[in-house]
């Protein structure tokens, strides 16, 4: 009874910035954790950043100091601000909601978005 709608992504030169957003739609009551994962072609999907309702944050080592995750619970939206982008950041970025609860029918469920492509050129 919910879905994730993502936006952002695109092509940017090394050193540039992008901001991704992911909004959960539906009669959302709460989302425990929202995060971003990326899939590099031929590589394992990795955690980029996560944020809890506290909010507590966690970042992958490769993006610490460059990426910032934030959430707006009033909009049920999570953002990923990506600065100082590097070619190795090129990937498809997937949004994930963990522990999502709706007003009726869904309790503590996980949802994945269909992420945009981020390409960083050198």
């Amino acid at each position: 009874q919910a879905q994730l709608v993502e936006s952002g992504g695109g092509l940017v030169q090394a050193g540039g910035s992008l901001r991704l957003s992911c909004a959960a739609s539906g009669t959302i009551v709460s989302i425990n954790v929202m995060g971003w994962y990326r899939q590099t072609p031929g590589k394992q999907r990795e955690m980029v950043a996560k944020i809890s309702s506290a909010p507590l944050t966690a970042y992958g080592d490769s993006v610490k100091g460059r990426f910032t995750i934030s959430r707006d619970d009033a909009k049920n939206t999570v953002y990923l601000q990506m600065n100082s982008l590097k070619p190795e950041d090129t990937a498809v970025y997937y949004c994930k909601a963990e522990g999502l609860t709706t007003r009726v029918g869904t309790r503590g469920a996980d949802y994945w978005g269909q992420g945009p492509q981020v390409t960083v050129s050198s």
Side-chain angles (χ1 to χ4, degrees):
Q1 297 181 356
Q3 62 181 14
L4 304 182
V5 180
E6 302 182 47
S7 63
L11 176 64
V12 65
Q13 292 184 339
S17 299
L18 287 172
R19 189 174 79 155
L20 307 180
S21 65
C22 173
S25 63
T27 55
I28 306 298
V29 174
S30 63
I31 304 173
N32 290 341
V33 178
M34 301 190 76
W36 293 92
Y37 298 75
R38 66 186 182 188
Q39 184 77 55
T40 302
K43 304 294 183 180
Q44 182 180 355
R45 183 174 296 188
E46 64 176 339
M47 190 274 289
V48 176
K50 300 176 71 173
I51 184 167
S52 72
S53 59
L56 299 175
T57 60
Y59 295 92
D61 289 340
S62 64
V63 306
K64 288 181 179 178
R66 299 188 297 117
F67 291 10
T68 302
I69 188 171
S70 61
R71 62 189 289 171
D72 184 341
D73 289 340
K75 299 179 180 179
N76 296 309
T77 300
V78 63
Y79 304 93
L80 184 67
Q81 179 67 46
M82 304 183 291
N83 298 326
S84 301
L85 284 163
K86 304 175 181 179
E88 50 264 43
D89 294 319
T90 295
V92 176
Y93 284 72
Y94 297 95
C95 175
K96 183 182 181 183
E98 302 176 5
L100 187 152
T101 300
T102 61
R103 182 169 58 86
V104 177
T106 301
R107 180 181 177 183
D110 293 346
Y111 287 82
W112 285 93
Q114 189 169 356
Q117 171 74 41
V118 172
T119 301
V120 184
S121 65
S122 59

